[in-house]
Amino acid sequence: MSDDSTVDPDASRSIRVLHVDDDPEFVEMAAAVLERADDRFVVETATRVDEGLIRLAEGDVDCVVSDYDMPGRNGIEFLETVRSERPKLPFVLFTGRGSEEIASRAISAGVTEYLQKGTGTDQYTVLANRIANGVRAYRAETAVSRSEERYHNLVDTAPIPIIVFGRDREMVYSNDAAVDFFRAEDPAALEGRTVTDFLHPDDRETAITRFERLMEE
């Protein structure tokens, strides 16, 4: 029997790919091959960077695949524009004009993957795998970020005072309820306070011992 807990919830979720290449025949052929390689792929195409940016703004794209040598703006300039708006979106530079200089510039600009075009169908298998892996990592990171945001929103707006201390026993966070409880003007007014500042003198020694034990464990 299979264990449902190991099932990837994104395993059957569609992956929207935007492929930009100034060769219309190549980009259409590549789109068809990619969609056959992975039935989750829905590939949209564009033959210019400006057109690609419009498609990116209009739709929910999970990954961008781009050529390098294109009229108007090249693939690196396209990547830089995308990164200014969507710094984590998977971006694969899939180019026939490969060089160490282009690869270095792509990495510096934040490319997710760099692949050089070749011959045969194996290159599309590799490309499909890189797209799928990049989107999987992107979605996982996005899910964690959203979870952390919900957690922080919950803590920030909690009706009970919540204070977080660092290993040096100094306060590193206080929510709005804590600020109100201690009649402080704002969280900054509580900065620098330590665990013992909030305890009765008779309880401080015991509390410090327990705090140090907690940090050790």
Side-chain angles (χ1 to χ4, degrees):
M1 294 179 64
S2 63
D3 183 358
D4 290 341
S5 64
T6 63
V7 175
D8 182 355
D10 275 342
S12 60
R13 183 178 168 188
S14 64
I15 296 175
R16 300 186 66 84
V17 181
L18 173 63
H19 190 181
V20 182
D21 193 298
D22 64 328
D23 184 337
E25 293 184 1
F26 173 79
V27 78
E28 290 297 334
M29 180 271 293
V33 175
L34 285 172
E35 288 180 344
R36 286 199 299 270
D38 192 322
D39 58 11
R40 295 173 299 171
F41 289 173
V42 178
V43 184
E44 297 184 26
T45 64
T47 56
R48 294 179 61 88
V49 170
D50 290 347
E51 181 185 356
L53 289 171
I54 293 173
R55 295 282 182 88
L56 191 59
E58 292 176 344
D60 186 14
V61 175
D62 297 304
C63 180
V64 175
V65 178
S66 176
D67 190 17
Y68 169 75
D69 194 6
M70 295 181 289
R73 280 191 274 185
N74 62 40
I76 302 293
E77 293 169 327
F78 184 25
L79 170 60
E80 290 172 342
T81 302
V82 172
R83 283 287 170 264
S84 67
E85 298 292 333
R86 302 180 66 176
K88 299 294 185 179
L89 182 70
F91 192 110
V92 180
L93 194 64
F94 185 47
T95 176
R97 184 182 171 185
S99 70
E100 290 185 5
E101 180 185 357
I102 293 175
S104 177
R105 290 175 58 199
I107 293 171
S108 296
V111 75
T112 307
E113 296 285 352
Y114 174 86
L115 293 176
Q116 194 165 348
K117 294 176 183 176
T119 57
T121 57
D122 288 348
Q123 62 179 324
Y124 299 106
T125 301
V126 175
L127 177 59
N129 288 335
R130 300 290 177 85
I131 292 171
N133 291 339
V135 171
R136 184 183 302 113
Y138 173 64
R139 286 176 172 174
E141 183 177 357
T142 300
V144 170
S145 297
R146 288 175 178 171
S147 178
E148 289 180 347
E149 183 179 359
R150 287 194 295 268
Y151 170 77
H152 284 295
N153 287 338
L154 178 63
V155 172
D156 288 343
T157 60
I160 60 174
I162 297 176
I163 299 176
V164 179
F165 298 94
R167 287 183 176 274
D168 58 0
R169 301 201 297 269
E170 283 195 8
M171 192 196 71
V172 296
Y173 170 83
S174 59
N175 68 351
D176 291 342
V179 172
D180 292 340
F181 182 81
F182 291 108
R183 295 183 175 87
E185 293 184 3
D186 51 42
L190 296 176
E191 290 181 1
R193 303 283 293 274
T194 66
V195 171
T196 54
D197 291 335
F198 300 94
L199 300 174
H200 188 279
D202 294 343
D203 298 327
R204 289 175 182 175
E205 184 176 351
T206 300
I208 291 174
T209 300
R210 291 178 177 175
F211 187 92
E212 295 299 336
R213 185 185 304 128
L214 177 63
M215 291 298 99
E216 290 174 2
E217 294 174 354

